[in-house]
Amino acid sequence: GINAEYMGQSRRGGKQSDISSRSMSKLNVDYLKEGICRVLEGAKTKPRKFVETIELQISLKDYDTQRDKRFAGTVKLPFMPRPRMKVCVLGDAVHCEQAQTLKLPFKSVEDLKKLNKNKKLVKNLAKSFDAFLASQALIPQIPRLLGPGLNKAGKFPSLVTASDNLEQKVKDAKSNVKFQLKKVLCLGVAVGHINMTPEECRQNSVLAINFLVSLLKKNWRNVRKLSIKSTMGKPYVIHG
């Protein structure tokens, strides 16, 4: 028993230092490149009236969502995967003014007070936008102003400080992808859109996959299958 336990420890101990090279080695980049090309070709042969998103679909194994820690993590991709993503600023006076100048949707404290913690109205607000940014002064007030609605929707605002560039913060929000394990063993994140070059898609995908693998308890041994697809296209398996 001792021996096996010791081996497990040494394996675990050696895992962290070597994570990028280890996680990369499991991904066949040729399969990934081929998958991306097929997705982009498929989107060209059947053009839609909107710019399709390219999504990475992940299926996990040997994970007990009841017992194992449910992970959550956010990574910023080098090329903006969702340029049309709707971000709303919950701002103090200065940020509301900046948002107005930048033609960004925003809500002031007064606007939020008008919702009166009404669950339905808060839910509608959460539904209307893909993400929220909030001024430093507002962040602690959000639960009091809105209740748990934004948090429940998985859209609790990211912080904007007085020294931050608001326009850059919005760009960052559109470049971030979030991996969050809920009750099912399938996840999907945007890694690009069909107007991107194959190389941009590849870089985004590699970064997203390596980041996900680093969150998993047993790294690649928890990955059953990885697929890539466009919004309306069919999935192509790139791993598993």
Side-chain angles (χ1 to χ4, degrees):
I2 295 169
N3 206 1
E5 201 173 292
Y6 172 72
M7 271 169 63
Q9 274 176 349
S10 66
R11 267 216 308 276
R12 272 205 300 276
K15 192 177 72 182
Q16 273 359 78
S17 58
D18 193 21
I19 199 143
S20 54
S21 54
R22 268 275 301 284
S23 52
M24 197 48 236
S25 64
K26 277 280 191 172
L27 181 65
N28 185 322
V29 182
D30 291 336
Y31 287 165
L32 173 62
K33 282 181 179 170
E34 189 187 335
I36 289 169
C37 286
R38 285 186 167 192
V39 167
L40 293 173
E41 277 164 22
K44 278 198 190 92
T45 50
K46 250 195 173 172
R48 308 282 171 174
K49 287 191 171 72
F50 65 99
V51 177
E52 292 180 68
T53 297
I54 295 175
E55 193 179 88
L56 174 70
Q57 294 183 329
I58 302 117
S59 161
L60 302 176
K61 63 180 179 185
D62 301 335
Y63 229 96
D64 181 343
T65 53
Q66 302 298 313
R67 289 220 328 269
D68 292 329
K69 192 171 158 291
R70 290 193 200 171
F71 57 80
T74 300
V75 64
K76 185 182 166 191
L77 300 182
F79 303 98
M80 196 190 290
R82 290 180 296 177
R84 285 165 58 251
M85 178 179 169
K86 289 192 293 208
V87 181
C88 180
V89 179
L90 310 178
D92 55 21
V94 177
H95 282 142
C96 283
E97 201 175 310
Q98 284 178 11
Q100 198 165 8
T101 311
L102 293 164
K103 296 187 168 49
L104 296 169
F106 66 91
K107 302 256 181 256
S108 66
V109 176
E110 292 312 310
D111 295 329
L112 298 180
K113 278 182 183 163
K114 281 178 200 153
L115 299 178
N116 211 4
K117 262 195 179 171
N118 177 319
K119 277 184 189 165
K120 202 172 175 186
L121 294 176
V122 174
K123 203 173 177 177
N124 285 347
L125 173 69
K127 260 194 186 147
S128 312
F129 297 97
D130 300 304
F132 293 89
L133 298 173
S135 306
Q136 200 157 10
L138 257 77
I139 288 264
Q141 298 180 49
I142 301 252
R144 201 178 68 230
L145 288 167
L146 299 176
L150 290 187
N151 213 3
K152 271 187 183 160
K155 293 180 184 176
F156 194 80
S158 304
L159 169 71
V160 188
T161 65
S163 58
D164 281 333
N165 174 332
L166 190 59
E167 196 170 10
Q168 187 54 48
K169 274 293 208 188
V170 171
K171 281 182 183 162
D172 289 350
K174 292 179 178 185
S175 301
N176 284 344
V177 294
K178 186 177 182 183
F179 290 99
Q180 191 167 16
L181 185 67
K182 299 217 166 111
K183 285 178 182 163
V184 291
L185 290 181
C186 297
L187 302 141
V189 295
V191 287
H193 55 81
I194 57 164
N195 290 345
M196 274 186 173
T197 67
E199 179 53 24
E200 289 169 342
C201 285
R202 186 194 68 78
Q203 285 187 36
N204 274 3
S205 302
V206 167
L207 189 70
I209 292 165
N210 283 343
F211 179 73
L212 165 77
V213 169
S214 76
L215 294 176
L216 299 173
K217 203 166 77 171
K218 296 182 184 161
N219 302 111
W220 278 99
R221 282 174 297 181
N222 287 129
V223 180
R224 183 186 297 282
K225 196 163 88 176
L226 296 174
S227 306
I228 196 160
K229 74 184 285 295
S230 67
T231 312
M232 309 299 285
K234 58 179 188 183
Y236 292 95
V237 177
I238 54 171
H239 176 87

